[in-house]
Amino acid sequence: MKLARIIAGAALCFSATAQANLILNGGFEAPELNDGSGWIYESSGDVPGWEGSNIEIWESGFNGVTSAEGTQHGELNAHPNTGTEFSIYQVFDTTAGFEYNVSFAYRARSSENETFQFDIYAVDESDEDFQETIISETIEDHTTSAWSYFTATFEALSEQTYIRFTSITPEVGTVGNFLDDVKVTPTAVSEPATLALLGLGLAGLGAARRRQK
């Protein structure tokens, strides 16, 4: 029974690792809104995990829009208008050759013509000229009445991977393209972890058989 509990505990640990989100602040829950305004805009440097343009953060329920997950969500086309496209991104660690799931929620704010570009690409911190596209999608099936969800699986090509969202319509206007619940997770327990768990189980079975003799 003790061995069974150890194996079960190890399995739960590996499962939790496989489900861990590699994206920091993917739900735009920080910084937390607490001034009663319902929304704020911040430079990306003040929004944990994200880099690039300003990011607008809305409290769930503000202007009738409930967050897809948690109590806050982001707007890609953030105040103020700088005359350039809005683009936010994040880098996360990956293992080349391993598969990952990516998903996020998106919604139109005022027009179902709202559109943005979604990209995942591999980079190499030792070679600044290396950049290889893994996923590049134009997301244009927005609705104003509900959240839509994008999901995909990709294979990492390097030890670091970028995820990026870039406004298309409106390109420079400050109204459009809500985002929430951005996630990247390993598709399964890594092979070394699987082998370790299998080895633990086989060792336990061997010990149990020896005691029975």
Side-chain angles (χ1 to χ4, degrees), residues 49-181:
W50 296 99
E51 299 182 64
S53 309
N54 282 358
I55 302 174
E56 200 164 303
I57 297 177
W58 284 36
E59 190 173 16
S60 183
F62 180 65
N63 278 359
V65 180
T66 301
S67 299
E69 178 270 338
T71 61
Q72 297 181 175
H73 54 276
E75 184 179 12
L76 179 59
N77 290 70
H79 187 82
N81 187 333
T82 61
T84 59
E85 65 185 13
F86 295 89
S87 183
I88 61 173
Y89 62 92
Q90 190 166 149
V91 61
F92 53 95
D93 293 334
T94 48
T95 301
F98 278 44
E99 288 192 340
Y100 297 84
N101 296 318
V102 57
S103 62
F104 57 85
Y106 60 97
R107 179 173 175 165
R109 174 176 169 180
S110 66
S111 169
E112 295 187 356
N113 292 326
E114 293 171 22
T115 308
F116 63 87
Q117 184 73 21
F118 166 64
D119 297 292
I120 285 186
Y121 55 97
V123 294
D124 185 345
E125 61 181 3
S126 64
D127 181 1
E128 61 181 17
D129 294 325
F130 174 79
Q131 179 176 311
E132 187 165 345
T133 300
I134 301 174
I135 297 176
S136 185
E137 295 277 352
T138 300
I139 309 297
E140 54 188 354
D141 58 342
H142 295 52
T143 67
T144 57
S145 59
W147 290 92
S148 300
Y149 295 85
F150 176 92
T151 60
T153 299
F154 68 92
E155 180 180 324
L157 304 178
S158 62
E159 302 305 304
Q160 286 192 312
T161 302
Y162 270 69
I163 185 170
R164 181 175 62 191
F165 300 90
T166 305
S167 63
I168 296 177
T169 306
E171 183 178 13
V172 299
T174 62
V175 175
N177 294 305
F178 287 131
L179 293 170
D180 200 4
D181 200 19

Side-chain angles (χ1 to χ4, degrees), residues 184-203:
V184 174
T185 58
T187 57
V189 178
S190 65
E191 184 177 344
T194 303
L195 292 175
L197 183 59
L198 178 60
L200 182 61
L202 291 175

Side-chain angles (χ1 to χ4, degrees), residues 20-57:
N21 188 8
L22 302 180
I23 300 300
L24 177 62
N25 196 25
F28 303 95
E29 299 296 316
E32 184 178 359
L33 300 181
N34 53 20
D35 61 358
S37 66
W39 73 284
I40 57 171
Y41 69 91
E42 299 279 4
S43 67
S44 58
D46 293 323
V47 180
W50 296 99
E51 299 182 64
S53 309
N54 282 358
I55 302 174
E56 200 164 303
I57 297 177

